[in-house]
Structure formats: structure tokens, C-alpha cells
Amino acid sequence: MSTALVPLETATASKRRRKARTKKVSSLPAIVASELPHAEIDLTPGREHLVCPTCKRWTPITGVLGTPKLVPHHTEPARAHTETPHRCTGTNRKVDINIAIEDWHTEWTEAVATAAARRATKVLRKPKVIPAPAVSQITPAPLSATSALDAYREHFKKCRKSEGIDHCGGTRRCADGARLAALYEQLQPSDSVHDRVRTREARVDTLLARVRATTASRTAASEWTKHREATTAPRTALAKRSGTAVEEANNTHRIPLPGTVSHLRGIEVPLKPLRPHSSAH
């Protein structure tokens, strides 16, 4: 009985990562691992890298178990896809790993912890100081006609006694005197308008206060009149006026409990004075 042979699948080897295999060594001095900062070297087994001193790019280290050196690399990254890449002069440069991996790992861990605990200094900016305006830029305070007249009189007294050529005297006025006189004439109409407005407002306030006082006195007088009529009337009229419910409640004999309000009820006494002005004095 013949048996058919089943063809076996051809075994395919897995693609291995390319590794630089060269015996060339750079003539530059060797890179000492202990002299590099912790942030520029990585001695993790299987991932040995360091920053090339020439091109300042992370470069793998090959031949760690034999002769450690930098792999051939270019000055530009591979993803740049430059047409004319330049080979870095630090290619195949020897690396002197004179530090144990355990010691390097301990120092690297401490450096990472120290860097993580750092905090950026908060910048406290000083507030910008606004410079004071010049004298010519300062707006003078608004003057009134009274202050302008006082300034004019004060200037006239001093200028009349001076011995200068251009001074105030008689009907003649100097430049400053003429300016103060014109300012007084300019401010006088506006002050008169303000005075009339203030007088009118004061008159209205007086009338309103008088009306409020008259209304309050009339209200108080009517309340006192009602109270007087209610207290001077006979008992029968009081009982009828108070109402059946109030009369029955007042006639009920109850023993008041200590600390309670009395059950007796009646007409409320007005609290406002009859003549508020006379009582105040």
C-alpha cells in the first residue's frame, strides 16, 4: 500500500536586527563613562547608549563584552532622509566603561528622584509703576467764582505795591491780573446757576419735611381721639364695641400661669406721640 508523502513547509528564519560588525576603531581618544553626566549615558543591559560628544545624538554602544565603541552613525537622524548624509567623526570611537552597572544604576536612580522632587521657582513679577505726569499734564482742580475773586484780590494787593513797569494800579491790570479777572467773569454765571439750583432743592426739601410732619401729627391725633372715645364710653358701649368674643374672654375667670401673657384683651393703645415736635423738645 503506497502512502503519499506530504510536503513539509520550508522553514523561514526570523529576520535578525542588523548589527554593526566592523573592526575599525576611531583614532579619537576613548570616551570615559564615569566622566559623562547621568543624563547622557544609559548602561541598561541590552540597551547601552550614550550621547555622542561630536553630534550630540544618542548612539548605541557595540561590543560591550569585548571592545566597547560607538556604532557607525550619521550627524542627521535616519528619519530626515537627507540626500547626502554625513558620517559623524565620532563613529567607532572607543568607550571606556570604568563604572559598574550596579553603581551606575544606583546613581541614576538617585539623580532621577532628586530631579523629580525639584520644583520650578515661581516668578513674582513686580507691578509696573506708572510714572507721575508732568506738571504741564496735570489737570487743575475746577475753580469757583469765589476762589477766583480771592485770588484776584490777593494778586492785586501784591502787584500794586511792586515797583515793576507792568503792575496793577487804578484801572490798569497786568497780564496775571487780567487773566484772573477774565476767569472770575467766566465762572460767575455758572456759579449763579448752581446757586439757584441749590436754593430750589433746599426749598423742595423744606416743603416735603413740612408735609410729612403735618401728616404724622394728623394720624397721631386721630388715633388718640379713637382711644379717648373708647375709654370714656360707658361699660355697655365698651362691651358692645369690643365684641362678644372679647367680652366673654375677659369675663372668664382663669388663674394665670407664671411666665405667661395675660388673657385679657382690649383696644390697643397708640404708640405714636400726639405732637412729635413738642415731645422732642
Side-chain angles (χ1 to χ4, degrees):
M1 183 175 180
S2 62
T3 58
L5 297 177
V6 178
L8 297 177
E9 296 181 358
T10 57
T12 304
S14 60
K15 187 178 181 180
R16 293 186 301 175
R17 186 176 59 179
R18 293 182 62 185
K19 187 175 182 181
R21 301 180 182 274
T22 177
K23 296 182 180 180
K24 294 181 180 181
V25 178
S26 175
S27 59
L28 296 175
I31 302 172
V32 182
S34 60
E35 297 178 358
L36 296 176
H38 296 89
E40 295 184 2
I41 186 172
D42 185 2
L43 296 180
T44 305
R47 296 190 308 174
E48 293 83 357
H49 286 66
L50 61 81
V51 177
C52 177
T54 306
C55 61
K56 303 300 180 182
R57 294 181 59 244
W58 282 95
T59 308
I61 303 174
T62 185
V64 178
L65 301 178
T67 305
K69 60 182 178 179
L70 298 181
V71 299
H73 60 281
H74 297 91
T75 55
E76 299 86 3
R79 65 177 65 93
H81 300 290
T82 56
E83 296 181 357
T84 56
H86 297 280
R87 179 65 63 88
C88 179
T89 56
T91 298
N92 298 325
R93 186 174 179 181
K94 283 186 177 181
V95 180
D96 185 7
I97 304 177
N98 59 348
I99 182 173
I101 297 178
E102 294 78 8
D103 298 340
W104 168 85
H105 189 270
T106 303
E107 296 179 0
W108 180 81
T109 305
E110 294 176 354
V112 170
T114 305
R118 294 172 187 167
R119 185 175 298 176
T121 306
K122 186 177 181 181
V123 179
L124 301 177
R125 300 187 181 278
K126 296 182 179 180
K128 294 183 179 180
V129 180
I130 302 176
V135 178
S136 59
Q137 298 176 350
I138 298 176
T139 304
L143 299 175
S144 60
T146 306
S147 58
L149 180 60
D150 295 340
Y152 171 74
R153 289 176 177 174
E154 187 69 20
H155 169 75
F156 186 77
K157 290 180 182 179
K158 294 180 180 180
C159 187
R160 185 174 55 181
K161 297 179 181 179
S162 64
E163 299 179 356
I165 300 176
D166 187 12
H167 64 277
C168 298
T171 57
R172 184 178 57 186
R173 299 292 180 269
C174 64
D176 294 338
R179 181 178 57 82
L180 293 174
L183 179 62
Y184 171 70
E185 293 178 357
Q186 182 182 359
L187 295 175
Q188 190 174 6
S190 60
D191 280 5
S192 60
V193 173
H194 293 324
D195 293 340
R196 287 197 298 269
V197 172
R198 285 193 292 268
T199 304
R200 190 182 302 109
E201 291 178 353
R203 189 181 304 169
V204 172
D205 293 341
T206 304
L207 291 176
L208 290 176
R210 189 180 302 171
V211 170
R212 294 192 189 98
T214 304
T215 305
S217 61
R218 289 178 181 177
T219 304
S222 62
E223 290 181 358
W224 280 105
T225 302
K226 292 179 182 179
H227 179 67
R228 191 181 302 107
E229 293 176 355
T231 54
T232 56
R235 294 183 178 179
T236 56
L238 287 175
K240 292 180 180 179
R241 187 176 302 160
S242 299
T244 307
V246 178
E247 181 182 0
E248 292 179 357
N250 292 338
N251 292 336
T252 304
H253 296 285
R254 297 178 183 176
I255 301 175
L257 299 177
T260 59
V261 182
S262 175
H263 62 279
L264 298 178
R265 297 292 181 269
I267 302 175
E268 296 182 357
V269 179
L271 302 178
K272 295 182 180 180
L274 179 60
R275 298 180 180 84
H277 297 286
S278 60
S279 62
H281 293 292

